[in-house]
């Protein structure tokens, strides 16, 4: 029995060792031996042993099946492990080739600080994108570099199974993974060391700029600048206070009073007050300049406010720089404008010279009257100035900008709408100038207005009446109504003075005509040659209407001639006993005396 058990154990160990076939053979031999042994034992013992044998065999069969299954699983695991190893190596080679091909076309996420690229990464770390990794690393580098300490903690690399961490103290600045190393084509530790050196250098630079030592140095410079500013302000105030009156006296002795047409614009007192005011203004500007420069320099010593310094300086420097560049760039056009203005200036002077010569009568041109000279000069001057403006306009700064063009159009529309009547008067004045209906000094009649022309401009004409009233008439009105020029008629043909008188039918017309001619010849201002003449203009119900006509050349004293003629008519007719039948007389002649004034 013991031998049987020992052999069973041997079979089990053989099965555990993997010799399944040998174990089965031993089991079969053991079964034969048991059968033989069973034949020699008693029947009862044989039955019990057989039952035990059946249970043991069944248990051994189960164990054999389990060992077979474990063997199959171990074989599959070995095959899978070998396959995975081969696949991993192939996958690694494939990944490396892919990384090599992508490295040239993938930009990566750079870590840029102060326009300096410290490093570039291409791979994720877990769920973090490369950009997020670089942002976190940059924030940590700035935090470490700007700490208010005298010295910076050393930066080192901590290598672990999953990553190599660049650290300062107990803080991680950034982590380097195997995929990062694969992208860069080096080992993970080598890449981490390279990153450590770059980060250490940048942290040292930041600490040298933002550290406690730098802050103390900047405060020392600020204290020095404040002391210098206080001294400069005191010195400027002292200097101006000492030399202000001395400079004022010297300037007053060298500068004469300024006057415009006998008006003292700046006398000695006003000039002195102006000089003192200017000196005080200069002092204030110098002090403000010193304070501005000093305060700006104080801000420049601190990195946090250095950008403010540059920005404040740019507020002054950029406009000045832009103005200087604009002036330098505009110089060619400016020279062109100056040449155009000089040419037109001398051209206008030449036209002015000829206009004066023609107006004075020294230069005569057939068909061109002397009174046309100055209006023509004015017209040519306007045209030339307009042409000059057209030539200069494209050369003006920003003349092609939409704002400039819009403002120009707006001004043109406003001038056009607001100057309609002005343009009408100007055009009427030009037409009258060349039509020459009258000249200055002529005696004219316009509507109910009679008088001498004392002014004729492009817009209005002014007339002085016999009562010395000055009447201003727009030129457009002068063109729209009839105008009589007595002076021109008197000089060229003479003016016929005429007046009417009514005489009764009882007087012979020959007598009346003779008396009226005598009265005209006695009138001062009426010419005897040609001789005055009489016209009978009407035969009314109660009287005959006679008209006496006489020629005179006195246009300006025409009213005086009429008055004198009327006086002579009264004296002559009444002296001859002739009754003037105006107004009508309705009465009998039997009792009514003649309507003739009695002689005193």
């Amino acid at each position: 029995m013991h031998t049987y058990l020992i052999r069973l154990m041997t079979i089990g160990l053989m099965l555990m060792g993997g010799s399944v076939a040998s174990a089965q053979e031993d089991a079969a031999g053991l079964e034969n031996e048991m059968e033989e042994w069973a034949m020699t034992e008693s029947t009862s013992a044989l039955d019990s042993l057989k039952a035990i044998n059946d249970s043991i065999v069944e248990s051994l069969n189960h164990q054999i099946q389990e060992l077979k299954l474990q063997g199959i699983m171990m074989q599959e695991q070995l095959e899978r492990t070998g396959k995975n190893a081969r696949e991993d190596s192939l996958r690694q080679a494939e990944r490396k080739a892919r990384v090599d091909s992508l490295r040239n076309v993938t930009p990566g996420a750079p870590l840029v600080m102060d326009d300096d690229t410290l490093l570039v990464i291409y791979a994720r770390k877990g769920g973090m994108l490369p950009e997020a990794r670089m942002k976190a690393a940059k924030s940590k580098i700035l935090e470490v570099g700007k700490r208010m300490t005298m010295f910076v903690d050393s930066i080192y690399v901590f290598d672990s199974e999953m990553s190599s961490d660049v650290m300062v103290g107990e803080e991680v600045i950034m982590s380097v993974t195997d995929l990062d190393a694969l992208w860069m084509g080096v080992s993970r530790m080598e890449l981490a060391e390279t990153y450590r050196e770059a980060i250490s250098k940048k942290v040292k630079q930041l600490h040298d700029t933002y550290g406690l030592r730098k802050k103390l140095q900047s405060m020392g410079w600020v204290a020095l600048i404040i002391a210098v500013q206080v001294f400069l302000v005191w010195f400027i105030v002292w200097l101006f206070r000492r030399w202000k009156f001395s400079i004022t006296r010297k300037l007053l002795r060298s500068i004469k009073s300024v006057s415009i047409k006998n008006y003292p614009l700046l006398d000695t007192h006003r000039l002195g007050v102006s000089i003192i005011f200017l000196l005080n203004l200069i002092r204030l500007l110098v002090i403000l300049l010193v304070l501005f420069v000093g305060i700006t320099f104080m801000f420049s010593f601190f990195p946090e406010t250095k950008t403010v310094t540059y920005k404040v300086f740019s507020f002054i420097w950029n406009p000045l720089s832009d103005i200087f560049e604009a002036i330098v760039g505009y110089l060619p056009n400016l020279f062109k404008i100056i040449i155009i203005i000089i040419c037109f200036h001398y051209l206008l002077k030449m036209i002015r010279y000829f206009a004066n010569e023609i107006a004075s009568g020294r230069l005569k041109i057939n068909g061109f009257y002397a009174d046309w000279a100055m209006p023509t000069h004015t017209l040519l001057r306007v045209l030339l100035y307009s042409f000059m403006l057209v030539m200069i306009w494209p050369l003006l700064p920003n003349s092609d900008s939409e704002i400039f063009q819009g403002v120009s159009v707006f001004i043109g529309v406003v001038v056009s709408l607001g100057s309609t009547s002005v343009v009408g008067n100007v055009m009427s004045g030009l037409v009258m100038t060349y039509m020459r209906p009258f000249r200055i000094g002529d005696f004219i009649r316009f509507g109910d207005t009679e008088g001498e022309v004392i002014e004729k401009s492009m817009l209005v004409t002014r007339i002085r009446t016999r009562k010395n009233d000055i009447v201003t008439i727009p030129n457009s009105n002068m063109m729209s109504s009839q105008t009589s020029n007595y002076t021109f008629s008197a000089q060229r043909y003479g003016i016929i003075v005429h007046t009417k008188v009514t005489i009764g039918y009882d007087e012979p017309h020959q007598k009346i005509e003779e008396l009226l001619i005598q009265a005209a010849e006695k009138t001062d201002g009426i010419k005897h040659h040609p001789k005055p003449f009489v016209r009978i203009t009407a035969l009314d119900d109660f009287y005959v209407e006679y008209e006496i006509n006489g020629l005179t050349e006195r246009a300006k004293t025409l009213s005086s001639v009429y008055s004198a003629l009327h006086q002579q008519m009264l004296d002559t007719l009444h002296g001859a006993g002739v009754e003037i039948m105006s107004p009508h007389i309705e009465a009998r002649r039997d009792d009514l005396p003649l309507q003739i004034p009695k002689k005193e």
Side-chain angles (χ1 to χ4, degrees):
M1 188 66 182
H2 293 287
T3 306
Y4 177 70
L5 292 175
I6 292 170
R7 295 191 64 179
L8 284 177
M9 292 177 64
T10 303
I11 292 170
L13 291 173
M14 292 176 67
L15 288 173
M16 292 293 293
S19 299
V20 178
S22 299
Q24 289 177 349
E25 292 177 358
D26 291 339
L30 179 59
E31 185 177 358
N32 292 329
E33 290 179 359
M34 288 177 63
E35 289 179 356
E36 292 177 358
W37 179 76
M39 294 293 292
T40 59
E41 297 291 333
S42 61
T43 303
S44 59
L46 181 62
D47 293 336
S48 61
L49 289 174
K50 187 176 182 180
I52 294 170
N53 183 43
D54 291 339
S55 63
I56 293 173
V57 171
E58 186 178 0
S59 176
L60 289 174
N61 286 332
H62 283 294
Q63 291 180 5
I64 290 170
Q65 295 298 325
E66 290 179 0
L67 290 173
K68 287 181 179 180
L69 182 61
Q70 290 180 2
I72 293 171
M73 292 177 64
M74 290 175 64
Q75 185 67 29
E76 290 180 356
Q77 182 67 30
L78 291 174
E79 292 177 357
R80 190 182 298 112
T81 302
K83 183 178 179 180
N84 289 340
R86 290 192 299 271
E87 289 179 354
D88 288 343
S89 63
L90 291 174
R91 192 180 297 111
Q92 187 77 7
E94 182 182 356
R95 185 185 301 173
K96 187 175 184 303
R98 190 181 304 166
V99 168
D100 291 338
S101 63
L102 291 176
R103 187 181 293 110
N104 296 327
V105 296
T106 303
L111 178 58
V112 181
M113 300 185 68
D114 299 332
D115 298 329
D116 183 18
T117 303
L118 302 182
L119 52 95
V120 180
I121 62 173
Y122 300 88
R124 291 171 176 255
K125 183 179 182 295
M128 292 183 65
L129 294 172
E131 291 78 7
R133 294 177 63 191
M134 289 296 94
K135 185 176 180 181
K138 182 177 180 179
S139 176
K140 196 63 181 178
I141 292 171
L142 290 174
E143 178 187 347
V144 174
K146 293 183 178 182
R147 287 176 180 173
M148 297 294 292
T149 58
M150 294 297 293
F151 304 99
V152 183
D153 294 337
S154 60
I155 299 175
Y156 61 96
V157 176
F158 177 78
D159 190 28
S160 62
E161 182 179 356
M162 301 301 296
S163 64
S164 297
D165 299 329
V166 180
M167 304 184 65
V168 54
E170 299 298 328
E171 301 174 87
V172 178
I173 298 178
M174 70 173 297
S175 297
V176 180
T177 63
D178 292 331
L179 193 56
D180 293 330
L182 182 63
W183 269 97
M184 302 308 295
V186 295
S187 66
R188 189 178 70 188
M189 193 63 186
E190 291 176 351
L191 184 61
E193 187 63 27
T194 303
Y195 288 172
R196 184 197 67 79
E197 293 178 359
I199 293 173
S200 298
K201 183 178 179 181
K202 177 52 66 175
V203 168
K204 185 176 184 306
Q205 291 177 358
L206 291 172
H207 189 267
D208 292 340
T209 304
Y210 295 93
L212 181 60
R213 182 178 301 162
K214 183 65 177 179
K215 291 292 189 295
L216 295 176
Q217 292 177 355
S218 300
M219 290 179 182
W221 283 110
V222 167
L224 179 61
I225 290 176
I226 292 175
V228 171
Q229 279 190 312
V230 171
F231 172 76
L232 288 177
V233 170
W234 173 83
F235 179 73
I236 291 169
V237 172
W238 174 82
L239 186 64
F240 272 83
R241 186 176 298 170
R242 177 169 181 174
W243 294 99
K244 178 172 61 176
F245 295 105
S246 176
I247 294 173
T248 302
R249 286 192 295 269
K250 290 181 179 179
L251 291 176
L252 288 176
R253 284 195 295 267
S254 59
I255 299 176
K256 296 181 180 180
S257 300
V258 180
S259 60
I260 300 176
K261 293 183 179 181
N262 298 326
Y263 173 74
L265 182 63
L266 286 177
D267 54 12
T268 304
H269 176 70
R270 293 177 181 174
L271 192 59
V273 172
S274 301
I275 292 172
I276 293 175
F277 173 76
L278 289 176
L279 292 176
N280 290 331
L281 182 62
I282 293 172
R283 179 183 63 181
L284 179 61
L285 292 176
V286 171
I287 292 175
L288 292 177
L289 180 62
V290 169
L291 293 176
F292 174 77
V293 173
I295 294 173
T296 307
F297 270 111
M298 283 192 292
F299 282 121
S300 67
F301 286 113
F302 296 94
E304 294 83 359
T305 58
K306 185 177 290 186
T307 55
V308 177
T309 303
Y310 296 148
K311 191 171 183 179
V312 171
F313 266 120
S314 66
F315 290 157
I316 299 176
W317 175 253
N318 288 343
L320 293 177
S321 177
D322 294 341
I323 292 172
F324 179 76
E325 291 178 359
I327 291 174
V328 173
Y330 188 68
L331 285 179
N333 289 343
L334 181 61
F335 290 144
K336 293 179 184 178
I337 292 175
I338 293 173
I339 292 173
I340 292 172
I341 292 175
I342 291 174
C343 293
F344 275 90
H345 173 71
Y346 284 102
L347 180 60
L348 288 170
K349 287 188 69 175
M350 183 179 67
I351 294 174
R352 175 80 178 184
Y353 170 77
F354 284 109
N356 290 332
E357 292 295 310
I358 296 173
S360 62
R362 290 189 293 270
L363 177 62
K364 296 182 179 180
I365 300 176
N366 293 332
F368 193 89
Y369 299 97
D371 56 338
W372 287 358
M374 300 314 296
T376 303
H377 167 259
T378 302
L379 180 61
L380 289 176
R381 186 173 61 180
V382 172
L383 293 176
L384 287 175
Y385 276 131
S386 301
F387 186 61
M388 182 180 69
L389 183 61
V390 170
M391 294 180 66
I392 291 176
W393 193 268
L395 301 176
L396 295 176
N398 295 326
S399 59
D400 56 346
S401 65
E402 295 181 358
I403 297 177
F404 196 90
Q405 294 172 358
V407 172
S408 304
V409 172
F410 175 75
I411 293 175
V413 171
V414 170
V415 172
S416 299
L417 295 177
S419 61
T420 304
S421 59
V422 175
V423 174
N425 288 326
V426 170
M427 297 305 297
S428 300
L430 288 175
V431 172
M432 287 195 301
T433 297
Y434 292 99
M435 287 178 58
R436 305 180 75 237
F438 51 83
R439 294 178 294 177
I440 294 177
D442 289 354
F443 196 85
I444 67 172
R445 179 182 180 87
F446 174 75
D448 296 333
T449 304
E450 289 184 353
E452 179 185 0
V453 179
I454 60 174
E455 182 182 349
K456 186 175 67 171
S457 65
M458 299 295 291
L459 297 176
V460 298
T461 298
R462 287 186 172 87
I463 299 174
R464 183 176 62 195
T465 65
R466 293 188 177 96
K467 304 297 184 180
N468 285 333
D469 294 332
I470 306 299
V471 180
T472 301
I473 304 172
N475 287 337
S476 58
N477 293 348
M478 297 290 292
M479 285 292 297
S480 61
S481 299
Q482 181 180 354
T483 304
S484 300
N485 191 335
Y486 294 125
T487 301
F488 181 80
S489 299
Q491 292 175 353
R492 182 66 62 88
Y493 313 106
I495 301 174
I496 294 179
V497 179
H498 57 89
T499 189
K500 294 178 180 180
V501 66
T502 55
I503 307 296
Y505 283 96
D506 56 336
E507 296 289 344
H509 69 88
Q510 295 87 354
K511 175 182 178 182
I512 301 301
E513 291 178 2
E514 183 179 355
L515 290 174
L516 291 176
I517 292 173
Q518 292 177 6
E521 290 178 342
K522 292 178 182 178
T523 301
D524 185 22
I526 296 179
K527 300 177 66 174
H528 292 180
H529 300 285
K531 186 176 180 179
F533 58 93
V534 178
R535 295 282 187 269
I536 298 176
T537 57
L539 298 175
D540 289 334
D541 294 337
F542 306 104
Y543 47 75
V544 180
E545 187 178 75
Y546 298 90
E547 184 185 70
I548 179 65
N549 295 270
L551 195 66
T552 182
E553 295 179 350
R554 298 181 180 180
K556 294 183 179 181
T557 58
L558 196 59
S559 60
S560 300
V561 174
Y562 269 103
S563 178
L565 176 61
H566 293 157
Q567 292 176 3
Q568 293 296 333
M569 289 170 62
L570 289 172
D571 294 340
T572 302
L573 291 174
H574 290 170
V578 176
E579 182 181 21
I580 299 175
M581 302 300 292
S582 296
H584 300 170
I585 298 176
E586 297 179 0
R588 290 179 175 272
R589 275 298 184 189
D590 298 338
D591 302 329
L592 185 64
L594 296 177
Q595 302 299 311
I596 300 174
K598 295 182 179 180
K599 295 183 179 180
E600 296 181 356

